[in-house]
Amino acid sequence: MAKKKRQDLKDKLALITGGARNIGLAIAKELAAQGASIVLVDICRDLKTIPYALAGPNDLERAVQEISKMGVKALGLTCDIRKEVQVKAAFQQVIDRFGRLDILVNNAGVVSLYPITGLSEKAWDEVVDVCLKGTYLCCKYALHPMIKQRYGKIVNISSVAGLRGLGLGVHYCAAKHGIIGLTKALAMEAADHHINVNALCPGTTESPMLEGLASQIQHEGDPYEHFAQQHLFQDRRIPPQDIAQAVSWLVSDKSRSITGSVITVDAGWSAR
């Protein structure tokens, strides 16, 4: 007898930033598999100080096609979440088309590695503005429909770098620590409207960006092994699907009493 497909998120609409590939796309597929309609938002161009290629328009188009084939509605939007006018327009387009927004996953983020003495203002801005300012702007415009509905689930993707310091990453750590502060404050502000706001902190997760970061610091060898040295589980890697499954739980009714929380998916890194 075939196993019945879960439809925990049927009739829900989820918007995922940085959704064109890797963790964002894995999250989108996990939520789509449970019946949610999906909006994928991505910048679709590279940034000057980021040492790896970001998703492009073709990646976003392919991602939308993959989601559509799962039998749910899917929409891809190109948006620079650092720009308020673009974020406002994107969220208005979502409401005009779907009439609601139930789930926001602030996944978009970038990282680079520089000693602070060599960290330019532009390199600082590109990381902090994407990771932190973008999260703030998306939360701001998601709250309007969620308050009206008296329902919403927001998951902000922080990092182990939001819990501790990492060398060569003062800008990234500042942004990711900021996401945790934003999450806790917004959880208090949104609680009266029945909106859950939580943060997720991945450890080193399999991603094409690791090769770019390794190249930036001229590291040879397996980049995952290098950046995951602090994981307690050294015999297993964290794939994007592990992050997606944690997000899936946080946006479900199974976590209805959880808000303002910070959950790690880091193979034990934060236990050190």
Side-chain angles (χ1 to χ4, degrees):
M1 183 176 179
K3 186 177 180 181
K4 187 176 180 180
K5 185 178 178 181
R6 292 171 56 194
Q7 291 289 294
D8 296 351
L9 300 177
K10 185 180 179 182
D11 300 324
K12 303 296 185 186
L13 178 70
L15 186 152
I16 300 100
T17 66
R21 67 179 187 184
N22 203 49
I23 292 176
L25 183 54
I27 293 169
K29 288 180 177 179
E30 180 69 23
L31 303 188
Q34 297 179 45
S37 298
I38 302 294
V39 177
L40 301 176
V41 171
D42 213 291
I43 192 172
C44 291
R45 65 180 175 86
D46 292 341
L47 297 178
K48 185 176 180 180
T49 68
I50 304 305
Y52 51 88
L54 303 183
N58 291 338
D59 295 306
L60 182 59
E61 183 178 351
R62 280 193 297 268
V64 170
Q65 291 174 353
E66 289 180 35
I67 298 296
S68 297
K69 289 178 181 178
M70 298 176 69
V72 301
K73 296 176 182 178
L75 173 66
L77 297 175
T78 300
C79 175
D80 186 341
I81 60 171
R82 301 172 299 172
K83 309 296 184 182
E84 183 164 14
V85 65
Q86 292 189 32
V87 174
K88 182 178 180 179
F91 277 78
Q92 187 59 56
Q93 187 173 344
V94 170
I95 297 304
D96 289 345
R97 177 159 177 173
F98 295 98
R100 64 184 303 114
L101 177 61
D102 304 288
I103 297 164
L104 169 64
V105 183
N106 283 305
N107 165 73
V110 292
V111 59
S112 55
L113 299 175
Y114 296 98
I116 193 168
T117 53
L119 179 63
S120 68
E121 184 177 4
K122 186 172 183 63
W124 170 278
D125 287 346
E126 287 194 334
V127 167
V128 174
D129 286 356
V130 171
C131 294
L132 183 55
K133 183 181 178 182
T135 296
Y136 139 67
L137 287 173
C138 289
C139 285
K140 176 179 178 178
Y141 287 99
L143 260 290
H144 293 289
M146 289 181 177
I147 288 172
K148 186 176 180 179
Q149 296 164 186
R150 290 189 62 76
Y151 176 88
K153 302 279 190 175
I154 297 176
V155 179
N156 297 322
I157 305 299
S158 179
S159 167
V160 169
L163 301 172
R164 58 180 300 155
L166 298 179
L168 305 181
V170 295
H171 51 333
Y172 187 66
C173 288
K176 292 299 187 176
H177 274 72
I179 287 173
I180 291 176
L182 183 155
T183 297
K184 290 174 180 274
L186 185 57
M188 298 175 67
E189 188 173 323
D192 287 346
H193 305 288
H194 299 269
I195 298 167
N196 299 66
V197 188
N198 293 290
L200 199 65
C201 292
T204 300
T205 305
E206 292 178 332
S207 168
M209 78 175 187
L210 296 179
E211 293 183 6
L213 293 175
S215 176
Q216 188 181 15
I217 60 173
Q218 299 180 331
H219 172 76
E220 297 181 359
D222 187 334
Y224 186 94
E225 289 185 2
H226 174 74
F227 291 111
Q229 290 179 32
Q230 298 301 315
H231 288 191
L232 295 185
F233 292 133
Q234 286 291 307
D235 59 343
R236 68 180 76 167
R237 297 190 175 206
I238 302 175
Q241 289 75 17
D242 284 7
I243 312 305
Q245 288 168 9
V247 170
S248 173
W249 179 70
L250 281 173
V251 302
S252 74
D253 287 339
K254 296 174 183 176
S255 63
R256 62 187 295 272
S257 296
I258 297 175
T259 196
S261 292
V262 180
I263 296 175
T264 58
V265 184
D266 64 355
W269 188 344
S270 54
R272 290 183 180 272

